[in-house]
Amino acid sequence: MDESVPALIRIHPRDNVLVLTRTARAGETVRFEGRAITLEAELPLGHKLAAEPIAQGEKVLKYGLPIGTATEDIPFGGHVHVHNLKSDYLPTFTHEAGHRFAEES
Amino acid sequence: MEPFQAYPRGDGSKGIRNVVAVAYVIECARHVAQKIVGRFDEREVHLFGWSGCYPNEHGAQIMERLCTHPNVGAVLLVSLGCEGFNRHVLKERIAASGRPVELLVIQQAGGTAATIQQGAAIVEELRERIASLPRVPMEMGELIVGTICGGSDATSGITANPAMGTAFDLLIADGGIGIFEETGELIGCEHIMRERAANPQLGAELVKAVQKARRFYETLGHGSFAPGNAEGGLTTQEEKSLGAYAKSGDSPIVGILKPGVRPERNGLYLMDMIPDGEVRFGFPNINDTAEIVELIACGAHLILFSTGRGSVVGSVIAPVIKVCANPETYERMAGDMDVNAGRILRGESTVQDVGREIYGLMHRVASEEPSCSEALGHQEAVILYKTFEALGPACFPA
């Protein structure tokens, strides 16, 4: 693995998640802005790690925009995925009876 | 950026290419039209047409918009003779746009061989007529550019799409017009999109457009909006949609277009390509080419196309600039790719730098440098049966 290539990028300055630019092995240490993150499990390109501690109930921002809400406290470097991030959209999207597009008249 | 040389049209528009279009108005005339086109340089003479025999108002409008596109200098229409398409109205409207236009009806011209011979002579004459057109300066701010993604993967939303969004912001800052589309891939970010609308009425229309897409695809049983797709690290529907939405950049949204409607004021538009009314005629976006042709019918001079897996398509009439999101795909298919946005993943470049590179390339392609797909001779085209209602005033805020 070429260690000179950054393994993580922050897409938008407002983002509180980082995106893996390549597959990272279990036990591998990747760095972002000098801080080390050691991965517990192998994660492929495109997966997200917390850029800062994210509290339960806080919005997760990618592309500078909310992609959902954290369902538990996530530490710096923690894997952010279906186990701790919930869509703000899908509950209303999937239940036709309660479905309402915001402020639709 | 410096102005470039463009082709002035009788209707006041300016083109970045000077194409003779050979347009068939029924599939039965396609072979003859194709044989005529085959006798000429593929960059100068382009082929497209309407396949069906049953008339369709939308199809007729798209044909008219393509035949009177700024990049088209002259048109030869090829008809079998008994089809439902109204070739006379189309010919009149092309003539009214100031373009030379000729019509050949195969049943009257003496069949296949005779029509090919006559058609080739006509195209030769049309080429000569438009070759001597004086050129005029054109600014980047006079361009209309469409954006699309196809063959996407996990990298598309990270590299190519945001870089194209940056290029769009540069275009709009210079006074140009940008058009993004595919409301079906905006499901989940309509509330974010609404906040970028020029006013609340337009915002409500943007939300309605995405809601219409959801209904349409649900009826057709389309599977791409199924929740829980965690491939490539995507967690939520809005995350997936935002990756596609990133193509639109950060500029305010000033209006909604339907395919074939030309924007009048500058700024960023959403093209709503989902038909109105009850679901009929099948999928509204059967392939990337159908979407590209609809953007071109809105007047797009050129198209920005992001791909992760590696699409190769180009288009008739308007050059397609291919922005490759995935560095591994770029290495395999470099000959098809104009921009390697995958460099962002390798830390060799930033989204902003690649966006500026795309904008610079748009200028060069507008100045007649061929894009990769153009140089390779790609000229895909398809026009679908659809039904649209007229746009209301809320879609064009003052």
Side-chain angles (χ1 to χ4, degrees), chain B residues 13-75:
Chain B
S13 65
K14 294 177 187 174
I16 63 169
R17 295 291 184 272
N18 198 31
V19 165
V20 175
V22 177
Y24 56 92
V25 297
I26 174 74
E27 182 67 16
C28 317
R30 186 179 61 80
H31 173 76
V32 167
Q34 196 166 317
K35 285 287 184 186
I36 295 167
V37 170
R39 297 199 179 183
F40 297 90
D41 181 332
E42 64 187 9
R43 294 218 35 211
E44 293 180 24
V45 183
H46 289 198
L47 173 77
F48 60 86
W50 173 251
S51 189
C53 195
Y54 298 99
N56 176 253
E57 202 177 315
H58 162 79
Q61 188 194 16
I62 298 294
M63 282 289 281
E64 180 193 330
R65 293 305 191 187
L66 296 178
C67 289
T68 59
H69 187 278
N71 292 354
V72 172
V75 183

Side-chain angles (χ1 to χ4, degrees), chain A residues 48 62-63 67 81 87 89 101, chain B residues 157 190 233 235-236 238-239:
Chain A
K48 298 177 291 297
K62 184 182 172 187
Y63 306 109
I67 60 165
H81 204 20
S87 171
Y89 186 87
F101 280 86
Chain B
E190 65 269 28
T235 306
T236 63
E238 52 265 53
E239 179 184 14

